[in-house]
Amino acid sequence: MMAKLLKNRELLLVGAILVLIALIAWRFPPFVAPANLARVYNDTSILIILALGQMAVILTRCIDLSMAANLALSGMVAAMLNAAFPGLPIPIIILSAMALGAVLGMINGALVWKLDIPPIVVTLGTLTIYRGLIFLLTNGKWINAHQMSDAFKSFPRADLAGIPVLSWLSVVMIAAMFLVMSRTALGRAFFAVGGNPHAAVYTGIDVGRTRFFAYCLSGTLAGLSGYLWVSRYAVAYVDIAAGFELDIIAACVIGGISIAGGIGSVPGAVLGAMFLGVIKNALPVINISPFAQMAISGMVIITAVAVNARAERRKGRVILKKAEAV
């Protein structure tokens, strides 16, 4: 029983997070106050949503380096819509940001699928293109809080049953992704394509199309995150979330999503994001310098990659059951 528990990545992550919180509480007891832990989760909600989208892409043996740039462009367009049409309903702005994010994800997916360009090359290129488009749209100008409507800024901060809407949205996305990954043919196709693309073809799965849908999903979640980011922080500019794609990928790796594809889970992605969220919220309050914070984050990522490498030597998830002998 104990051996099985030690092999369960999600349980190990839960234990690691609890130990980390205990160590932080020893140095700074107020950190473990329920209200503060709720704030930590709320601060990590956007990273959780993005990690869920990246997880779908990584499961298919691809990667999306453009998620943060997608977030920035979608968020800027959402802010520009609000500044130009202050009376536009917030749901329309959110849907517009998600639609734009989905289109940007489709571009990535189509290039990977139809032109067979390596995903890392495609998304590195579109990362630069999307950032450049923000500059062209705005001439490098910012959209600040005074240009945004109160409704635009207050939506993610609004309380629902004592919990911010931002936190509720992340919970809804977690539940939706869990259903997609565990109860739909598309979710099973993500695992099958990442586990063995050649075998997936023989089962009738279109590998390129599956990867295309994974990029559409990651793009849609990046678009949603774009609105949430600019409305929560009440500012939009070219370099929004610059470098944040590394945090997104790190959350997935820490959560046990295999870069080689085919191995991972929704709880793992969420816990990986939470682990990073606890670190990023805790280190400043216990007076760890920014340079030491970078070193600690790097060591965590390397350790996670090493653990994943050992885990991948074991048999991956079984998608198709063996046919019974006749």
Side-chain angles (χ1 to χ4, degrees), residues 116 123 146 154 167 185 206 238 240-241 245 247 252 260 279 287 289 320 325:
D116 200 27
T123 56
H146 69 274
S154 64
S167 293
D206 188 317
V238 173
I240 286 176
E245 56 274 353
D247 286 348
C252 291
I279 288 178
N287 297 320
S289 75
L320 301 174

Side-chain angles (χ1 to χ4, degrees), residues 165-296:
V165 167
L166 177 57
S167 293
W168 279 117
L169 283 173
S170 69
V171 171
V172 170
M173 292 300 107
I174 292 168
M177 281 297 293
F178 184 81
L179 290 175
V180 168
M181 302 307 295
S182 62
R183 296 288 185 269
T184 68
L186 180 61
R188 291 190 290 272
F190 290 156
F191 284 102
V193 167
N196 192 327
H198 301 294
V201 171
Y202 287 110
T203 64
I205 296 173
D206 188 317
V207 173
R209 183 179 287 109
T210 300
R211 288 172 173 166
F212 174 80
F213 285 130
Y215 277 108
C216 291
L217 180 57
S218 72
T220 301
L221 293 180
L224 171 63
S225 300
Y227 162 74
L228 294 173
W229 188 293
V230 299
S231 61
R232 183 168 190 252
Y233 297 109
V235 65
Y237 55 96
V238 173
D239 289 330
I240 286 176
F244 202 61
E245 56 274 353
L246 300 180
D247 286 348
I248 301 166
I249 295 169
C252 291
V253 171
I254 292 169
I257 288 74
S258 170
I259 294 296
I263 299 174
S265 68
V266 170
V270 173
L271 290 169
M274 282 303 304
F275 189 86
L276 274 184
V278 170
I279 288 178
K280 289 184 178 294
N281 277 272
L283 294 183
V285 301
I286 57 176
N287 297 320
I288 302 295
S289 75
F291 300 105
Q293 291 175 37
M294 293 171 63
I296 292 170

